[in-house]
Amino acid sequence: MRYSIIALLLILSAPLSARTLVASVEPVAMVLRDLYGDSAQVETLLAPNQSPHNPMLSPRQMLTLRRADLVVWLGAEAEPAVADLMARREGPSVALLSLAGVTRRQGGHDHGDEDHGADDHDHGHDHMARLDPHLWLDPANMAALARGLAERDPDGLPEGQPAAFLAGLERATEAARARLAPQAGRAWLSFHNPWGYFQHRLGLREPVTVSEQLGAGPGSRRFVALADQVKTQQVHCAIAEPEAQREMLARLCPDCRRVDLDPLGRDHPGSGYGAWLDGVVAAGFQRCLAP
């Protein structure tokens, strides 16, 4: 009898299990960690070795998505591969694109002024502008997410949130802007440029972009035109995302300083968003653009 009472007391005194929150991509998970702290267990749907452009989700990932107490994702237009699974989910979810104040950018459209010959076509181009899905690279969008979660999940956020997150995000954004201000006008090279939201929010100039599509390199005429741009604009910086064709970047700009940056933060799992934005992304651009 005594042991039964002790066991009951242990059960009653044990902390309630934290809710499980699932974010579709790592930077959104960073925001959730900042907001919820120890009050929730945050998981990222995509594994570090998975590309968000065409993910093949495992049965375990599908189960994780189905069992989560809350799923935070970008929305069907940005993540069509996740949309079908979300349509079959019964639990609560928050889509970034459904929230007020979210900045949307168009990206990935065809180069209408390019003269592609038979060997110069950049395969895979769409002829209609579409949404740039890298919404998390605009800190203002992550602020909109925090405010949206305060409305959609008011009882789930710890005391003091989202005010503490928003204040920290503002400090990180200003630190990143100050870090990059001296190099804001410098030219840079990108393979398919997933950085549009970041560059516009932080005041960087448009890069020389090799291809609008992953896996599609330039034909001979476009290569010559790109090499001329690199020379004319005095490009000395190449930002390489994991999917970039590094040999192609080296051929276009052999004297470029190359900095590897993952726009999805897959190489910094467990980080907070503000620290990643300033200490990793902005710091990487600063190293690359430095004289």
Side-chain angles (χ1 to χ4, degrees):
M1 183 68 179
R2 187 165 63 92
Y3 293 110
S4 298
I5 294 175
I6 293 174
L8 179 60
L9 289 173
L10 289 173
I11 292 172
L12 293 175
S13 63
L16 296 175
S17 58
R19 290 194 305 161
T20 299
L21 312 182
V22 173
S24 58
V25 293
E26 181 61 27
V28 172
M30 294 176 181
V31 174
L32 296 184
R33 290 188 202 100
D34 286 341
L35 283 169
Y36 289 86
D38 295 335
S39 70
Q41 178 181 341
V42 178
E43 299 181 12
T44 305
L45 181 64
L46 295 185
N49 62 348
Q50 283 183 299
S51 170
H53 299 280
N54 188 25
M56 298 294 291
L57 299 182
S58 69
R60 183 175 181 179
Q61 288 172 302
M62 296 178 190
L63 185 62
T64 297
L65 198 66
R66 189 161 62 247
R67 289 182 173 177
D69 294 300
L70 175 67
V71 175
V72 183
W73 64 309
L74 304 180
E77 192 176 352
E79 293 180 301
V82 180
D84 290 341
L85 296 175
M86 293 301 297
R88 297 194 292 270
R89 175 180 157 78
E90 296 180 357
S93 64
V94 174
L96 178 61
L97 285 171
S98 71
L99 301 176
V102 172
T103 298
R104 302 166 58 105
R105 285 181 45 80
Q106 298 302 116
H109 54 78
D110 188 29
H111 292 280
D113 59 343
E114 289 178 13
D115 179 20
H116 295 296
D119 65 336
D120 290 329
H121 186 66
D122 285 69
H123 299 287
H125 283 201
D126 290 340
H127 291 271
M128 295 181 64
R130 65 185 187 278
L131 176 74
D132 179 345
H134 304 88
L135 296 143
W136 60 87
L137 285 167
D138 185 344
N141 283 346
M142 296 300 93
L145 175 59
R147 289 190 291 268
L149 285 168
E151 295 178 1
R152 305 282 183 91
D153 190 33
D155 296 330
L157 287 177
E159 185 177 355
Q161 295 291 9
F165 171 77
L166 292 172
L169 179 59
E170 184 176 359
R171 289 192 298 270
T173 303
E174 289 307 310
R177 186 172 285 113
R179 184 194 292 275
L180 294 174
Q183 288 86 32
R186 294 185 181 275
W188 54 291
L189 178 67
S190 177
F191 191 78
H192 87 289
N193 191 27
W195 306 102
Y197 289 97
F198 178 82
Q199 77 188 53
H200 281 267
R201 185 62 64 186
L202 275 298
L204 299 176
R205 65 183 289 177
E206 291 285 339
V208 176
T209 302
V210 178
S211 175
E212 297 288 354
Q213 297 293 325
L214 286 174
S220 56
R221 291 181 185 176
R222 174 142 178 82
F223 182 90
V224 171
L226 285 168
D228 184 63
Q229 279 186 275
V230 167
K231 182 178 180 180
T232 301
Q233 297 185 28
Q234 298 181 332
V235 177
H236 297 292
C237 161
I239 299 290
E241 67 274 23
E243 295 82 7
Q245 297 179 19
R246 284 158 174 73
E247 292 184 3
M248 178 64 68
L249 293 177
R251 286 176 56 202
L252 280 169
C253 188
D255 298 327
C256 269
R257 176 190 295 121
R258 193 191 83 200
V259 170
D260 295 334
L261 282 179
D262 185 356
L264 274 150
R266 290 167 290 189
D267 52 346
H268 286 78
S271 297
Y273 180 79
W276 175 71
L277 181 79
D278 178 39
V280 177
V281 179
F285 272 85
Q286 182 185 36
R287 290 196 309 275
C288 193
L289 292 168

